[in-house]
Every structure is written in structure tokens, then in C-alpha cells.
Amino acid sequence: MASSAPASASGSKVDNAEAFQGKVKLAVCQLSIVAEKQQNIDHAREVIEKAADDGARLIVLPEMWNCPYSNDSFPTYAEDIDGGASPSTDMLSDTARARKVTIIGGSIPERSGGKLYNTCCIYGSDGKLLGKHRKMHLFDIDIPGKITFRESDTLSPGNTFTVVKTDVGCIGVGICYDIRFPELAMLSAAKGAQILCYPGAFNMTTGPLHWELLAKARAVDNQLFVVTCSPARDDGAGYIAWGHSTVIGPFGKVEAALEEKEGVLLLDIDLSEIETRRTNMPLEHQRRHDVYQLVEITDRNRSAL
Ligand SMILES: *[C@@H]1O[C@H](CO)[C@@H](O)[C@H](O)[C@H]1NC(C)=O
Ligand SMILES: *[C@@H]1O[C@H](CO)[C@@H](O)[C@H](O)[C@H]1NC(C)=O
């Protein structure tokens, strides 16, 4: 698979030579979110435990699952993940270890060095933190007289790609708005990702038009699995999420999808389909690396710009 990863993109590659290639039972948890943080944590734990009891090995949570999705709740609900004051991620780590499951921990507001981030933590089946993705593209919108939502008023962006090797495959993470940027997906694929997970909360305008389209596009472009995971819809919330958490296969097929209500998608995905699709349609070998390129900017080469 390493040789056929779609990589007109150049970036440091994750060592995924031994990456898992078979069937994985996946659980995508579209959680209802309430105002009380501890209640969100307890509920997420119950849903994860139930999914593990049902045989899931890889469990995905939604964007901002410990707090209401609003500008003013981010600072209040934020946790210092690296500093050890993080009940939300402690629960994820404990549950991953206790149930021997890999968890893509949706996202929570993270406080670090005086800044706030929209952050996804990934835990391996031993409970260890495998990676942390800070939302790279912040959602700022200002249409006069209609809608203003500026994530960048409160949040700072992350500057790094997140692709981690787990015992259920090599997984890349983006958060919500990140899915609109094909470059992130391409570079993650070039690093070896077999599944791209996007915790996200699209709204009632962009959801119906773009949510499934973007997930399909990222899957077909890169010939890999794409998982989107939204909070359940709450019509009384300040921000009304579209829901519709979805799993797309490497040939663009909708493997499973929810509607707007709370629910869990439980399904087997077969990672070997990636290799089959890439062999049948070898986009990587037909890409014109001699005419164009996509290059990751790292600290090493950033200063040269
Ligand atoms: C977001 O929050 C910041 C500070 O908490 C505030 O200054 C700003 O006006 C808020 N923006 C919106 C659109 O609510
Ligand atoms: C959703 O967000 C889009 C911009 O991405 C905006 O144009 C639209 O008005 C929003 N819709 C609702 C229902 O808030």
C-alpha cells in the first residue's frame, strides 16, 4: 500500500508499512450534547462502552462533544490536555484502555499556553495518546444582516497534520471546516492514512448541500475511507447541527449514514478495499508529478519561504 498511496503530495510519511489491512468494526457515535459537561462525559462513556460491547474496535466521537457549540462556551468548557487537567480526555483514555478500543475523540476546546484550540485526541487500545489534532482551518463567516460566526475570535489554529498508526489502521484527522480543504486530505493520504476521520458540525444550510458531497470527494480523490461524525441535532440550540454522520468507502459508496437524531453507526469496513481500488485505478502512478506538486510546509522549510 505504501507504494500506491496517492502522493503527488510530498510530506514526511508515517511508517505504515505494517499497517493493518483487514476488516475493522467501526462505531460512529452521533451524540446528543447538553449544557452540563459532566453529563456529556458520562453519556459519551456509556455510548463508547456499549459500542465496545457490541464489538467495535474503532470508535469515533463528534466535534465539540463536551460542550454546546458556541463561541462563549469554548473558554468555559476548555481543558488543559497536556497539563493533566482534562476530565474529558481522561475518560477517553481510561475507556480506551479498559475496553481495548481505539478512540478518535471527536473534539473538545483545549486550553494551552494562554490559547484555545478545537482539538481531537486519538487514543490507542492501551489508553495512550497517539496524536492530537488541532483544527487547522477556522470557520469565520460574516454575511451582513444574516450571520456572523467567527471561530477565530476565540480559537487559534493548529499548524500540523495528524496521521497516526493504530492497531486498526493508519488514521488521519481533520475537524469540520478542515474537510473543505483537499490539500489536508491529500497530504494525509500521502503520509499513509487509510481512514480520514472528520468530527464536524455543519449547519442547516451547508449540511444538506455539502456535507456528504465533501466526504465523498475526499474519499474518491484519495481512494480511502472517510468518516464524518456530527453531534445530534438540537433544534433549541444556538447552533443547529445537520447531523448525518456518514461513512464513505474508497470508491465513493455511502457505507452507512445516520439522519439527525442521536444514534450509533456500527459497521464493518474492509481496509483491503483501498488497495483493490488503487490497483484497479492507479491514480498515483498516473499523476503528473512532473507538472504539479503539493508540498507540506514544515518548520524545517518554513523559514525558507
Ligand atoms: C465570541 O467571543 C468573543 C470573546 O469571548 C467575543 O468578543 C465575540 O464578540 C464573540 N463573537 C460572536 C460572534 O459571538
Ligand atoms: C450556515 O453557514 C453558512 C456559511 O457557511 C451561512 O451562509 C448560512 O447562512 C448558515 N446557515 C444557518 C442556518 O445558520
Side-chain angles (χ1 to χ4, degrees):
M1 107 135 251
S3 63
S4 61
S8 72
S10 72
S12 54
K13 214 168 141 38
V14 172
D15 172 23
N16 76 336
E18 312 268 291
F20 182 77
Q21 295 287 349
K23 280 198 178 140
V24 179
K25 195 174 285 291
L26 166 69
V28 184
C29 307
Q30 181 165 294
L31 302 174
S32 285
I33 309 301
V34 295
E36 229 263 288
K37 191 205 267 189
Q38 190 56 46
Q39 211 173 314
N40 290 324
I41 296 174
D42 294 343
H43 181 55
R45 183 201 297 270
E46 281 166 20
V47 173
I48 294 168
E49 288 177 345
K50 167 79 167 56
D53 289 346
D54 290 341
R57 303 278 321 282
L58 172 62
I59 297 176
V60 185
L61 298 189
E63 184 181 23
M64 292 295 182
W65 62 267
N66 79 352
C67 74
Y69 191 87
S70 77
N71 187 8
D72 54 349
S73 50
F74 300 152
T76 323
Y77 290 71
E79 299 182 9
D80 181 355
I81 296 169
D82 296 333
S86 180
S88 301
T89 62
D90 286 352
M91 181 280 285
L92 297 179
S93 168
D94 292 348
T95 315
R97 184 173 48 243
R99 298 301 173 118
K100 299 189 173 55
V101 291
T102 300
I103 299 179
I104 312 299
S107 77
I108 64 164
E110 177 195 14
R111 186 184 302 285
S112 174
K115 291 185 171 167
L116 293 176
Y117 301 91
N118 183 342
T119 301
C120 176
C121 292
I122 302 135
Y123 290 95
S125 54
D126 55 1
K128 289 215 178 77
L129 182 67
L130 295 177
K132 206 168 75 163
H133 182 74
R134 290 172 170 166
K135 187 174 190 174
M136 198 188 277
H137 306 87
L138 297 179
F139 179 62
D140 283 350
I141 173 112
D142 186 7
I143 304 175
K146 286 199 163 168
I147 180 177
T148 304
F149 193 94
R150 291 181 48 81
E151 260 190 340
S152 65
D153 280 352
T154 29
L155 299 175
S156 301
N159 298 320
T160 51
F161 293 87
T162 307
V163 177
V164 296
K165 194 170 151 187
T166 76
D167 50 15
V168 286
C170 191
I171 300 176
V173 175
I175 299 176
C176 199
Y177 204 45
D178 283 340
I179 200 174
R180 290 189 182 272
F181 299 84
E183 296 86 350
L184 184 148
M186 286 179 72
L187 279 159
S188 299
K191 288 170 178 293
Q194 296 160 292
I195 308 172
L196 295 179
C197 291
Y198 291 99
F202 271 33
N203 74 12
M204 295 298 289
T205 308
T206 57
L209 280 170
H210 296 159
W211 175 253
E212 189 179 297
L213 175 69
L214 288 166
K216 282 183 165 175
R218 300 296 84 89
V220 172
D221 283 349
N222 298 292
Q223 300 175 298
L224 41 60
F225 286 90
V226 169
V227 177
T228 56
C229 187
S230 170
R233 188 176 310 161
D234 171 0
D235 290 309
Y239 181 94
I240 302 175
W242 169 237
H244 289 80
S245 301
T246 300
V247 179
I248 309 285
F251 206 45
K253 179 165 167 267
V254 178
E255 304 283 337
L258 289 168
E259 296 189 345
E260 77 282 5
K261 293 194 184 63
E262 175 163 271
V264 175
L265 291 174
L266 186 73
L267 70 156
D268 284 317
I269 58 171
D270 186 354
L271 297 183
S272 69
E273 190 191 338
I274 296 169
E275 190 57 41
T276 307
R277 295 303 176 193
R278 290 178 182 177
T279 304
N280 293 353
M281 194 187 285
L283 297 181
E284 168 52 15
H285 301 299
Q286 294 159 349
R287 231 178 270 282
R288 292 293 305 275
H289 301 288
D290 57 329
V291 182
Y292 49 72
Q293 256 184 4
L294 180 63
V295 180
E296 177 185 9
I297 313 295
T298 61
D299 284 339
R300 200 154 27 83
N301 57 16
R302 185 171 283 126
S303 56
L305 288 182

